[in-house]
Amino acid sequence: MAEPPPPLPDFSQSVKLKYVKLGYQYLVNNFLVFLLVPVIVALTLELIHSNPHDLIHLWNSMQLTSLHILCSFFLIIYTLTFFLMSRPRPIYLVDYALFKPPRSFRVSFGGFMEHARIVLADEPKSVHFQMKILQRSGLGEETCIPPAMHFIPPRPTMQLAREEAELVIFSAMDSLFQKTGLKPKDVDILVLNCSLFSPTPSLTAMVINKYKMRSNIKSFNLSGMGCSAGLISVDLAKDLLHRYPNSNAVVISTEILTPNSYLGKERAMLLPNCLFRMGGAAILLSNRRADRRRAKYRLAHVVRTHKGADDRAYGCVAQEEDSEGHIGIKLNIDLMTIAGEALKSNITTIGPLVLPASEQLLFAFSLIRRKFFNSKSKPYIPDFKQAFEHFCIHAGGRAVIDELQKSLRLTNEQVEASRMTLHRFGNTSSSSLWYELSYIESKGRMKKGDRVWQIAFGSGFKCNSAVWKCNRTIKSPVDGPWADCIHKYPVYIPEVIKI
């Protein structure tokens, strides 16, 4: 009886598939180089073997007159000028500043739960629900809330809300002016986003009045656009800077908590009380060539996805009254599903702009296979680690970070900035992305040429992305909210914290 043939070797063990994949990526991403090199070498060899008489004969055979040469020269100059003039002006992020709340605003888990038990003394189930949320939230003991929310019961008055806005916005602006040397009268464009506090006069008018800015400043006040409004403000500033040459723009992102403390007992509306904390950012953008050398980043892309046409997406995050007339933010149970759908749409748009050719080919092959051969096969998820060195995922909550880490197949280090920002500062809404960027800088990880992907979600429902390219290596230590605590991070965050 013949012996059975020996088993085939396990190539997954005997061959370093990682290096095979790297070789494939290098080959595809540099395909044009590999294609042009032989052509250039062949032309060079042909020129080397040709004598001067052959070149002169070739020139004479073309029968070019002075008019031909002049027209060709004019056409080349015109084409180059048109190309340079039609290119969008590069947008630089010169620097940014963040608000760091004073320690007296700190709210510990014990203090938060003590307030909850007093305010909701007749609703033990609601108190228990908030405790469960806090235990699994990923927040730490150093997050801060405004003074109005330290009162029992909270005092959501207009005066205290304005005082919070002045403290957060003016602190960030003062720091930005100090870091950049910019004078208030030199600001050409001012964009401010704050979703849930929109007084009259507006917050931009408050800033203009405080710093006595010019009467012809172009100011915009965005409200009701959720946690992704920061990137919407950046996009608006980008469009304005493309329109107005030799200009700068200040973007302010914050959320004022004082008038938005929910005083009812609906569980779906108590969740924001547990997660949202104080924060704010001021960012200086410029299209001036003089700012190129000192700028930290250059804006590469902004991609916005709006799912508001879908009723489920439109209503999954909404400000409304409960049965007792208390106003709050209601989060629907299918929020994460809708966020996933919005992320897929955003990735579909941003992928071709940032992914290397190797990943785009694999994605295209997967799409063709699913379309024409096997519709049940799993879609290929592009490896965005090939396109970016750093990721800033909106610190909206532990579940948001977990889901995006899983979907994008990111490592723990790549989501570290988001988790540590959530732990140290909580969900600061639209400004959270800038606390995360500051964390990466404070760790000394930002090098020249590095690419950063900022991803944010907001009511409506929106998923927005911004891609930045580092213009210069950021040296640490970095001044800012992490300066006195960066040495403690990263910290271990258990699944459940005992309160």
Side-chain angles (χ1 to χ4, degrees):
M1 188 174 181
E3 295 183 1
L8 291 173
D10 187 352
F11 290 103
S12 64
Q13 299 295 327
S14 60
V15 179
K16 297 289 186 180
L17 293 180
K18 178 179 73 173
Y19 298 110
V20 174
K21 184 177 181 181
L22 288 174
Y24 161 77
Q25 292 168 351
Y26 186 78
L27 176 64
V28 174
N29 295 340
N30 298 278
F31 178 74
L32 286 178
V33 175
F34 289 122
L35 189 65
L36 290 175
V37 165
V39 176
I40 294 173
V41 171
L43 290 174
T44 304
L45 292 174
E46 184 67 25
L47 287 173
I48 291 174
H49 290 94
S50 300
N51 57 56
H53 297 290
D54 294 332
L55 296 176
I56 294 172
H57 177 72
L58 178 63
W59 175 263
N60 292 332
S61 65
M62 296 175 67
Q63 298 180 350
L64 295 175
T65 65
S66 300
L67 181 62
H68 291 147
I69 296 173
L70 186 62
C71 290
S72 301
F73 182 75
F74 175 77
L75 181 62
I76 292 172
I77 296 296
Y78 176 81
T79 304
L80 288 174
T81 303
F82 179 80
F83 173 74
L84 293 174
M85 293 295 291
S86 61
R87 289 178 62 192
R89 296 179 179 88
I91 308 300
Y92 300 106
L93 192 161
V94 179
D95 212 333
Y96 62 97
L98 302 170
F99 169 70
K100 183 179 180 181
R103 286 189 59 84
S104 58
F105 290 4
R106 186 176 71 90
V107 55
S108 64
F109 289 157
F112 185 93
M113 291 311 304
E114 182 182 2
H115 281 219
R117 291 187 184 98
I118 296 172
V119 175
L120 298 171
D122 299 330
E123 299 292 337
K125 291 184 178 180
S126 296
V127 174
H128 182 67
F129 171 77
Q130 291 186 82
M131 184 176 70
K132 288 175 63 178
I133 293 296
L134 274 181
Q135 288 176 331
R136 294 166 173 80
S137 65
L139 273 68
E141 299 270 8
E142 299 291 323
T143 62
C144 295
I145 56 177
M149 297 177 69
H150 284 276
F151 288 104
I152 303 176
R155 297 181 184 175
T157 65
M158 175 63 75
Q159 179 60 31
L160 291 177
R162 283 191 175 275
E163 291 177 6
E164 180 193 349
E166 291 173 356
L167 174 65
V168 174
I169 295 172
F170 294 165
S171 296
M173 288 291 287
D174 289 344
S175 180
L176 182 69
F177 288 141
Q178 182 180 4
K179 291 173 74 173
T180 62
L182 181 71
K183 297 179 181 179
K185 288 189 178 295
D186 292 334
V187 178
D188 302 301
I189 300 165
L190 177 64
V191 183
L192 187 150
N193 65 269
C194 180
S195 290
L196 297 174
F197 182 56
S198 184
T200 300
S202 67
L203 294 177
T204 49
M206 180 186 77
V207 174
I208 293 169
N209 176 260
K210 164 70 176 179
Y211 295 101
K212 310 304 177 187
M213 294 178 171
R214 301 198 316 258
S215 60
N216 64 342
I217 188 173
K218 299 168 183 64
S219 63
F220 302 85
N221 200 108
L222 307 182
S223 63
M225 306 195 80
C227 299
S228 68
L231 297 186
I232 295 174
S233 297
V234 169
D235 190 40
L236 174 59
K238 177 203 71 174
D239 292 341
L240 291 167
L241 288 172
H242 282 162
R243 173 65 179 82
Y244 299 99
N246 199 35
S247 300
N248 59 53
V250 171
V251 174
I252 304 172
S253 294
T254 188
E255 192 59 76
I256 305 305
L257 303 182
T258 295
N260 300 297
S261 177
Y262 176 62
L263 305 178
K265 58 184 180 182
E266 291 288 337
R267 295 187 181 184
M269 302 172 79
L270 284 168
L271 188 60
N273 285 3
C274 302
L275 299 178
F276 281 88
R277 297 293 186 265
M278 291 184 76
I283 305 102
L284 175 59
L285 303 176
S286 173
N287 60 14
R288 296 174 177 172
R289 292 183 180 180
D291 289 326
R292 178 180 178 181
R293 288 186 175 274
R294 66 168 183 153
K296 283 187 172 182
Y297 303 93
R298 178 177 61 82
L299 181 61
H301 306 286
V302 177
V303 174
R304 293 167 57 180
T305 302
H306 204 308
K307 307 293 286 185
D310 178 29
D311 291 341
R312 287 172 54 250
Y314 173 75
C316 70
V317 179
Q319 185 180 29
E320 57 186 53
E321 289 181 337
D322 64 13
S323 58
E324 297 178 355
H326 297 293
I327 298 176
I329 303 297
K330 185 175 182 180
L331 307 179
N332 286 357
I333 195 170
D334 54 354
L335 173 60
M336 291 308 302
T337 302
I338 293 168
E341 294 172 357
L343 177 64
K344 288 179 184 177
S345 298
N346 194 269
I347 284 177
T348 303
T349 305
I350 202 172
L353 300 175
V354 298
L355 286 170
S358 57
E359 288 299 309
Q360 294 195 44
L361 276 176
L362 289 174
F363 180 76
F365 291 152
S366 170
L367 193 65
I368 293 170
R369 184 178 71 248
R370 284 170 52 83
K371 183 73 174 178
F372 298 104
F373 298 103
N374 184 8
S375 60
K376 295 183 179 180
S377 61
K378 291 184 178 180
Y380 177 75
I381 300 176
D383 185 4
F384 280 93
K385 297 188 291 292
Q386 299 292 328
F388 305 107
E389 284 74 34
H390 307 286
F391 297 81
C392 295
I393 300 169
H394 168 53
R398 191 176 206 153
V400 175
I401 301 172
D402 289 346
E403 188 62 30
L404 263 72
Q405 180 180 9
K406 179 181 176 181
S407 299
L408 299 175
R409 297 181 296 178
L410 303 179
T411 64
N412 288 333
E413 183 176 344
Q414 287 166 331
V415 297
E416 180 183 307
S418 300
R419 293 195 189 281
M420 297 306 110
T421 296
L422 181 65
H423 180 270
R424 174 60 185 85
F425 296 100
N427 180 354
T428 60
S429 189
S430 58
S431 64
S432 67
L433 298 175
W434 303 104
Y435 287 90
E436 295 166 23
L437 190 62
S438 179
Y439 178 89
I440 297 170
E441 292 179 0
S442 299
K443 280 294 183 182
R445 298 172 183 172
M446 192 64 70
K447 310 299 181 185
K448 182 178 180 179
D450 283 0
R451 296 154 298 179
V452 186
W453 187 14
Q454 293 180 320
I455 314 170
F457 300 92
S459 58
F461 189 84
K462 299 177 285 293
C463 176
N464 299 324
S465 294
V467 178
W468 304 88
K469 188 170 183 178
C470 186
N471 204 42
R472 57 182 173 85
T473 298
I474 311 298
K475 297 180 181 179
S476 59
V478 177
D479 292 335
W482 295 98
D484 62 347
C485 62
I486 191 64
H487 62 281
K488 302 177 184 177
Y489 287 91
V491 298
Y492 170 70
I493 305 174
E495 290 293 328
V496 179
I497 297 175
K498 294 182 178 180
I499 301 177

